[in-house]
Amino acid sequence: MNDRVILLSAPGLRGGDLAHMPRLRQLTSAGDQAALVPGFPCVTCPVQANMTTGYPPSEHGVVANGFFWRDKGEVEMWTAWNDCIQRPQIWDILREHDNSLTSAVWFPLHSKGCGAESVCTPAPVHNPDGSESLWCFTKPTELYGTLRDALGHFPLQHFWGPIANIRSTAWIVDSAVLAAQAYHPRFQYIYLPHLDYAAQKFGPDSPQATTALAELDETLGRLIDGQRAAFGNEEPLWLIAGEYPIVPVSHVTYPNRILRQAGLLEIRALADGEHLDPVTSPAFALVDHQFSHIFVRDRDQTVINRVVDLFRGHDGIEEVLTGAELSKYDLVNERSGDVVLISRADSWQAYYWWLDDAQAPAFARTVDIHRKPGYDPVELFFDPVARGIPLDATLVRGSHGAPPHDARQRTVLLSSQRGVLPSHTLADVDVCDLVLRQFGV
């Protein structure tokens, strides 16, 4: 048992990366190392929910990074509050067991409104004129003002987009140290996104990705030193989870264009270009890295069958699942699409539906993670001629999300103490129980 546990979530971290990370290597040199197998879908929100609930998407309901709410006819990307997770999380279970087991939850997705005692996560204010004001959701509410005064605003522009860089992760680390000093939580869960950027933009084995490892390691050093300063000789158990792997890609598929060409996608022509209509479309794809959920209007079985036939055997698509077939990956849930497309390992899926770039909606050339009905890694690039985000999905060199079938699609789980990890291979859903056991739960 341990009195304090710090769980770091560092997407894209692999066992071999420790060769470039001396501070992390030193921290974990006397501990355990295991291969971490992420559950499908291997993307941020589902994997974080897997790790913090101990359940797969069929149980916790987070089936992608976004949702299509059929009753409202709305796509929601990245803004859902914590109540979208249908199972209790680590901090809920700890508090129910013993209310002295306090938690600090720092920057994981879907943490707005969660039950931890202290929380910080981005929540920019969307102004009537379309602009954004920098802000974070914090618990207690006044905490963000304290953090802002000490560190400046959270640098949202460095958290995602063409100028995403180490500055966002550094702010997360520095603010987590201030929270440790102020609240002395028994459990801390901290999301460190930095490795995501270069690996997707240039490839996971690129020189830029190696540079990102060194940058993250230096920032981890500040976190380690800051935690020690906050707690003195009371050394916590550190757990570091690679969350999901990023693999090289050289091919892209456009499910919504394929649906459109088959007469199954409805488009609204507006002043700024063509917009997808998810309500009137017989079928549309909510696209997310290496998979997509295709939602069929009224769950029409004839249309579902057409969609399955359309994509089975299509270049870049490894699996097409529908109905009970979703149980293969614990994805049977009312929030899942009627058809799920899974890319092969070297391919990914882009959300584009227009057939002529001149007809793309205006937001396609901007960093707009909320209006795009799917994830857009091309937002990491900038087109100086168009002065915006390019519309060339072939620029992307790394992706993730497909089920892990070989060692390249696994990450790593590290501990700072020996005898903590019970096996050389663990699933992401094992992380929850691993943390709880440290507190005798």
Side-chain angles (χ1 to χ4, degrees):
M1 292 178 58
N2 282 274
D3 194 57
R4 290 183 57 242
V5 176
I6 300 173
L7 172 61
L8 305 182
S9 190
L13 182 67
R14 305 166 296 182
D17 293 334
L18 269 69
H20 305 283
M21 306 180 75
R23 287 301 304 267
L24 181 57
R25 194 167 63 244
Q26 180 185 43
L27 178 69
T28 59
S29 60
D32 299 327
Q33 178 172 328
L36 184 65
V37 183
F40 176 75
C42 308
V43 296
T44 306
C45 296
V47 171
Q48 290 182 354
N50 292 353
M51 292 197 300
T52 57
T53 67
Y55 289 95
S58 59
E59 297 290 334
H60 59 60
V62 182
V63 299
N65 282 323
F67 301 94
F68 176 57
W69 303 114
R70 293 179 190 257
D71 57 337
K72 296 183 288 187
E74 294 178 359
V75 173
E76 182 177 21
M77 297 295 299
W78 307 107
T79 59
W81 282 58
N82 183 252
D83 58 7
C84 72
I85 300 177
Q86 298 172 317
R87 288 284 185 172
Q89 293 174 277
I90 292 171
W91 38 91
D92 302 313
I93 299 167
L94 289 176
R95 187 181 63 253
E96 183 177 352
H97 177 76
D98 179 349
N99 60 18
S100 72
L101 296 176
T102 56
S103 300
V105 174
W106 240 243
F107 278 75
L109 281 299
H110 298 159
S111 56
K112 287 185 295 185
C114 80
E117 284 72 18
S118 51
V119 182
C120 186
T121 196
V125 177
H126 300 279
N127 301 313
D129 64 357
S131 64
E132 286 186 341
S133 298
L134 298 176
W135 203 256
C136 284
F137 171 94
T138 57
K139 186 179 178 182
T141 303
E142 64 273 13
L143 174 59
Y144 183 65
T146 302
L147 297 175
R148 178 202 57 205
D149 292 346
L151 305 172
H153 274 298
F154 173 67
L156 187 67
Q157 71 274 27
H158 300 300
F159 189 59
W160 182 250
I163 58 171
N165 60 35
I166 192 63
R167 290 176 60 184
S168 58
T169 295
W171 197 99
I172 294 170
V173 161
D174 293 341
S175 62
V177 169
L178 292 178
Q181 294 170 346
Y183 303 114
H184 291 80
R186 302 280 296 279
F187 171 64
Q188 280 187 280
Y189 177 37
I190 307 171
Y191 173 50
L192 306 173
H194 183 58
L195 300 184
D196 244 357
Y197 311 138
Q200 292 186 69
K201 193 171 183 178
F202 303 107
D205 300 309
S206 64
Q208 294 90 339
T210 301
T211 298
L213 293 170
E215 293 170 337
L216 178 60
D217 192 61
E218 187 276 331
T219 305
L220 280 174
R222 293 219 310 273
L223 177 61
I224 295 164
D225 294 341
Q227 291 283 343
R228 286 173 176 163
F231 289 92
N233 294 326
E234 185 187 335
E235 187 69 20
L237 168 66
W238 294 81
L239 297 170
I240 302 93
E243 203 168 297
Y244 52 75
I246 296 173
V247 299
V249 292
S250 56
H251 180 272
V252 59
T253 305
Y254 305 89
N256 281 315
R257 285 179 173 171
I258 296 167
L259 291 169
R260 179 177 181 174
Q261 290 168 328
L264 294 173
L265 193 78
E266 290 294 325
I267 297 297
R268 290 179 295 142
L270 302 181
D272 72 329
E274 296 177 341
H275 288 243
L276 181 153
D277 189 337
V279 175
T280 63
S281 290
F284 85 96
L286 192 157
V287 176
D288 199 348
H289 296 272
Q290 290 185 307
F291 74 102
S292 59
H293 288 274
I294 296 183
F295 294 90
V296 172
R297 191 178 65 207
D298 300 325
R299 292 189 166 97
D300 186 309
Q301 191 60 52
T302 300
V303 176
I304 291 172
N305 294 340
R306 280 189 64 192
V307 171
V308 170
D309 291 341
L310 193 60
F311 286 99
R312 281 211 167 128
H314 197 283
D315 188 25
I317 301 298
E318 184 78 18
E319 294 184 78
V320 180
L321 306 176
T322 188
E325 295 170 341
L326 298 181
S327 64
K328 178 179 180 180
Y329 297 115
D330 281 313
L331 206 54
V332 176
N333 187 283
E334 62 180 358
R335 297 173 177 177
S336 289
D338 303 291
V339 180
V340 172
L341 308 181
I342 302 174
S343 297
R344 66 174 190 246
D346 67 342
S347 185
W348 71 283
Q349 300 175 37
Y351 78 96
Y352 303 173
W353 56 79
W354 52 92
L355 306 178
D356 178 351
D357 284 352
Q359 298 303 314
F363 63 71
R365 293 189 181 275
T366 68
V367 177
D368 194 333
I369 64 174
H370 304 308
R371 284 201 290 171
K372 296 176 182 179
Y375 173 75
D376 184 15
V378 186
E379 290 182 343
L380 289 168
F381 298 84
F382 184 77
D383 182 350
V385 176
R387 300 184 62 80
I389 304 303
L391 300 179
D392 181 2
T394 66
L395 292 169
V396 174
R397 289 291 175 262
S399 191
H400 57 99
H405 295 309
D406 60 48
R408 291 184 314 151
Q409 294 166 299
R410 298 180 177 187
T411 60
V412 68
L413 181 62
L414 305 165
S415 70
S416 61
Q417 299 173 17
R418 187 79 66 194
V420 172
L421 306 184
S423 172
H424 293 300
T425 302
L426 294 166
D428 55 7
V429 292
D430 296 328
V431 172
C432 178
D433 186 59
L434 190 63
V435 172
L436 295 177
R437 286 208 314 268
Q438 308 312 310
F439 295 104
V441 179

